[in-house]
Amino acid sequence: MAATALAKLLPSRCTVALIESEAIGIIGVGEATLPHIRAFNERLGIVEAEFMAATRATFKLGIEFRDWGRVGDSYIHPFGTFGRGSGEVQFHHYYTRLLRAGVPLPPIEHYSMACSLARANRFGQPARDPQQIASTFGYAYQFDAVAFAPYLRRIAEGLGVRRTEGKVVAVERDAQSGDVTALVLADGRRVEGDLFVDCSGFAALLIGQELAEPFEDWSRWLPADRAVAMPCRTATAVTPYTSAIAMPSGWRWRIPLQHRTGNGYVFASDFLSEGAATDALLAAVEGTPLADPRVLRFKAGRRARSWVNNVVAVGLASGFLEPLESTSLYLVQQAITALIELFPEKRIAPVDRDEFNRLINMEYDRVRDFLILHYHATERDNSPFWTYVRTMPIPDSLAEKMALFRRRGRVVKYREGAFLDASWVSVYLGQRVVPTGADPRAAAPSTDSLVAGLERMRGEIAAAVGAMPAHAAFLADYCPMPAAA
Ligand SMILES: Cc1cc2nc3c(=O)[nH]c(=O)nc-3n(C[C@H](O)[C@H](O)[C@H](O)COP(=O)(O)OP(=O)(O)OC[C@H]3O[C@@H](n4cnc5c(N)ncnc54)[C@H](O)[C@@H]3O)c2cc1C
């Protein structure tokens, strides 16, 4: 992703050399994404239908969380808004006002176009006219990460990126500045450069092994440190959403692609062994396994700085937050975008480097809080893992956010970023964090006219959903995978 973006967007500013090792390979998981990937792909000139066919992709309207607040609960974190999302006062303020007044209402997802489409297993492109209810949702993709890497590589090479196959075994540095000057490959070749983008995954070859930039460990808040992954033949409908199903010591993902379904159990090894997690996954999945279960190990956290000297870490080399909200590829994109915006001229200006680190740290910190919310806002007490996360101390930044929501439904605002109001509202309400007070701006209109307005909206949503095709039919028409897949 980094090589393609740099070559495409800064063709006159840099020459890109890409070093990869087939023997080491890529991590090869990372199937669910956030809507921001669409804008990123567009900037690279990627044609959506072609990319989706090549990566056997499906559409993703959000994430279904099952059994998180309590066993038996289910809610969807949608890509889009609740209600129309246009007015100054957000929809959830009116909705929770009615709930507090004792008006019997269905769950808030009934007022979301994305949730309603997902539950109906239908899909269509969002309407362009902002007046239409069908304009109030977005979407992302669920795709085969193993197919995405060579797809991007072909584009990168077409843009002039020089790819070198080989294993980096040594790093040369300038004695005075400490900057990296060249990478040495196992066969003795040297690759020199001015700026090095460390995309070496968990190995963190330059930022970690060579520059020893400290890793901030967040496992006290996000104790899951293992995943066991296994693809299966698809046994049920290809849903336009990812499922995250709570398990006794973590949670399980289900990501339907066109040709298979990705499954995995993310768990905390302090509470469950790898063998027991594998057995639990095998017992839970639907469909015939297509490969043996594979265990991956990780630790939640990030580098104190992702750009140090002339090394910029992107992806797993820079940090990792478990895949609960599909944020890793989003964080990769954000790092690449920031690098392009702050790309050095002749020399690296420390002020640009500091700004990059500020932006990336802010992204990680916000995602961290959002993930912790899912674990902490629970009533589950049926296993040591859930008791730990329910009762653990949380970061002050999250405690303040939760207090503001509980008081009057206020969602801490960001102008941009991964998760805006509707995301937080879906998790708060979906996991029973309910405001006790009202936002004064939502005092009008009268209860009767508000209830009537909500009913009209549900009718509009039902009509718009009914007019859209089944997800499988849309895929078959728009981006069928190659016959041999
Ligand atoms: C369990 C799990 C589930 C995940 N699910 C999601 C998800 O649903 N959505 C999402 O967005 N993300 C997800 N991720 C994260 C996602 O997999 C990564 O963000 C993404 O694959 C990018 O990884 P990367 O390029 O940083 O590292 P890698 O894919 O590991 O690539 C590292 C590259 O560096 C090369 N390399 C390493 N060492 C050397 C060396 N010495 N010499 C030469 N080359 C070298 C390798 O060959 C490879 O090409 C998940 C991660 C895990 C662990």
Side-chain angles (χ1 to χ4, degrees), residues 229-234 259-263 282 285-293:
M230 189 184 66
C232 286
R233 214 176 285 288
T234 300
H259 61 315
R260 62 169 168 77
T261 299
N263 303 285
L282 286 167
V285 293
E286 307 140 0
T288 321
L290 293 172
D292 289 335

Side-chain angles (χ1 to χ4, degrees), residues 166-209:
K167 185 175 175 192
V168 177
V169 292
V171 179
E172 292 177 5
R173 293 171 69 183
D174 180 80
Q176 262 191 335
S177 65
D179 281 0
V180 173
T181 51
L183 305 178
V184 183
L185 305 186
D187 60 8
R189 280 176 296 169
R190 287 174 74 255
V191 180
E192 294 183 355
D194 300 312
L195 183 77
F196 291 80
V197 184
D198 183 354
C199 303
S200 63
F202 285 135
L205 215 59
L206 303 183
I207 196 88
Q209 292 185 36

Side-chain angles (χ1 to χ4, degrees), residues 225-246:
D225 61 352
R226 301 275 193 283
V228 52
M230 189 184 66
C232 286
R233 214 176 285 288
T234 300
T236 51
V238 178
T239 55
Y241 57 88
T242 294
S243 297
I245 304 142

